[in-house]
C-alpha cells in the first residue's frame, strides 16, 4: 500500500548495531561524544548470565 518495508527487520530476531564510528565521522564528532549524546553506555551489558 505504498508503505516502505523496514530494512532493519532481520530474520530470527537478529539485530545489527548502528555504525556509530561512521555516524560520528559524518557528524564531525568523536564516537565517544556521540555515544554520550545518545545515552549509549561505552560497554553495553552482555547477554551472558554469570
Amino acid at each position: 500500500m505504498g508503505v516502505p518495508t523496514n530494512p532493519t527487520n532481520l530474520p530470527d530476531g537478529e539485530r545489527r548495531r548502528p555504525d556509530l564510528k561512521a555516524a560520528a565521522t559524518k557528524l564531525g564528532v568523536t564516537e565517544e561524544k556521540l555515544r554520550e549524546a545518545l545515552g549509549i553506555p561505552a560497554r553495553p551489558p552482555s547477554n551472558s548470565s554469570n
Side-chain angles (χ1 to χ4, degrees):
M1 294 248 145
V3 177
T5 60
N6 187 351
T8 59
N9 286 344
L10 300 173
D12 301 326
E14 181 181 331
R15 293 181 64 186
R16 292 187 192 168
R17 294 186 200 163
D19 188 349
L20 294 181
K21 188 171 187 174
T25 299
K26 283 187 177 187
L27 293 169
V29 298
T30 64
E31 188 175 348
E32 181 181 350
K33 289 290 185 185
L34 182 57
R35 285 182 182 276
E36 187 178 300
L38 294 172
I40 300 172
R43 290 182 177 238
S46 65
N47 290 336
S48 64
S49 52
N50 289 337

